[in-house]
Amino acid sequence: CGGQVTSSNYPYRGGKRALYEGGVRTPAFVWAPGRLHPGRSNAMIHVTDWLPTFWSLASLRGALEPNNPIKTKPLDGFDQWLAISENLPSNRTEFVINIDPLPIKCGHQVPHAGIRWKEWKLILGAGGPPFGWYPAPLYKTPLAAGKCYNASYSYVELYNIEEDPS
């Protein structure tokens, strides 16, 4: 909480615990020799999508009930293999980024929440630390050294992620 940069997803705004793209977009990789060619995907994929995707890859989906191979309550995720392997649109159109009604030390002091729907992101409350952008890699100027992000105000932000990915 001493003002040090603890994470960076440059050039996106924010970092860990933030509702901005710097706190939401995460790198991931899939290694599947013979099934996947090197490439990149910007598809909307949530952590809950990995289980159905892996079940599909393991060829269990055809033998069991679709999207619910272990016969429990319906899964929250979607099979995203075609989005990853063929760069097709994601099966997902929305997800809740976070709902946090309580203040946190050296963080937001007001309730905050975020949701993504298609290309739109809505943030209610404080967007999260840091309030701005981290400097580019190798940029040596400290960011607000010794200052703690402490948003004590609430606001509403609406972004079109495709036009303004910050």
Side-chain angles (χ1 to χ4, degrees):
C1 189
Q4 296 181 354
V5 174
T6 58
S7 67
S8 175
N9 203 355
Y10 181 82
Y12 300 111
R13 180 181 181 184
K16 289 186 178 190
R17 300 186 343 222
L19 301 178
Y20 301 116
E21 288 300 278
V24 175
R25 290 189 186 216
T26 57
F29 70 92
V30 176
W31 183 68
R35 296 187 97 168
L36 183 64
H37 299 291
R40 179 180 177 158
S41 172
N42 283 317
M44 183 188 303
I45 299 175
H46 189 266
V47 66
T48 59
D49 296 332
W50 288 112
L51 178 62
T53 301
F54 290 146
W55 278 101
S56 174
L57 285 173
S59 299
L60 294 174
R61 188 177 68 168
L64 299 171
E65 190 174 318
N67 202 32
N68 194 0
I70 52 178
K71 301 223 183 228
T72 63
K73 293 181 180 181
L75 297 175
D76 292 330
F78 298 97
D79 177 358
Q80 298 283 17
W81 181 245
L82 293 178
I84 295 168
S85 64
E86 305 294 328
N87 207 22
L88 293 176
S90 171
N91 291 323
R92 177 174 295 284
T93 57
E94 77 280 328
F95 64 90
V96 173
I97 299 169
N98 192 19
I99 300 173
D100 195 351
L102 303 174
I104 59 172
K105 179 182 177 188
C106 196
H108 60 83
Q109 299 298 306
V110 295
H112 80 204
I115 188 167
R116 170 92 185 265
W117 177 71
K118 297 183 180 180
E119 70 271 14
W120 295 98
K121 178 188 281 188
L122 175 65
I123 296 175
L124 303 173
F131 187 65
W133 284 261
Y134 284 124
L138 304 178
Y139 188 69
K140 300 298 182 189
T141 303
L143 266 181
K147 293 188 178 180
C148 181
Y149 170 80
N150 190 1
S152 57
Y153 51 87
S154 182
Y155 50 89
V156 176
E157 297 178 75
L158 180 64
Y159 295 95
N160 182 311
I161 298 299
E162 293 174 2
E163 294 178 12
D164 179 13
S166 61

